[in-house]
Amino acid sequence: MALLITQKCTNCDMCLPECPNEAISVGDDIYVIDPALCTECVGHYDTPTCQKVCPINNCIKPDPEHQESQEELWERFVLIHHADKL
């Protein structure tokens, strides 16, 4: 499942450079995660780096509207990073 940045976000800019898929961007009020690009760092790291670097507890959570299996996240990783080789 993709991740979601909650209203607890303080716009500290810690997560933005950490996303290997460039799924995080500046939103109207807080940072946002594009669910079409978020793989929860599957294919890159063992755990989502945005959650690891975020100084606010429970600020970045699983997005209940974008629930996906590990297999689906792997498929997205392949599409994002290897589409030119398919």
Side-chain angles (χ1 to χ4, degrees):
M1 98 178 36
L3 297 174
L4 173 72
I5 298 175
T6 68
Q7 292 297 319
K8 293 181 180 181
C9 178
T10 61
N11 295 313
C12 69
D13 200 39
M14 294 294 292
C15 62
L16 184 66
E18 295 298 323
C19 182
N21 298 327
E22 298 181 358
I24 300 174
S25 61
V26 178
D28 290 338
D29 298 317
I30 60 173
Y31 284 94
V32 294
I33 297 176
D34 182 346
L37 294 175
C38 180
T39 63
E40 293 187 37
C41 291
V42 166
H44 296 282
Y45 308 109
D46 292 334
T47 58
T49 57
C50 61
Q51 288 179 324
K52 284 174 95 172
V53 300
C54 182
I56 308 297
N57 287 336
N58 297 317
C59 181
I60 303 175
K61 298 179 167 191
D63 185 343
E65 294 185 22
H66 296 95
Q67 296 186 8
E68 299 155 310
S69 67
Q70 283 291 110
E71 184 176 290
E72 291 170 309
L73 294 172
W74 268 107
E75 289 174 8
R76 180 173 304 126
F77 165 78
V78 170
L79 287 173
I80 292 170
H81 296 283
H82 301 290
D84 58 332
K85 298 174 186 171
L86 296 177

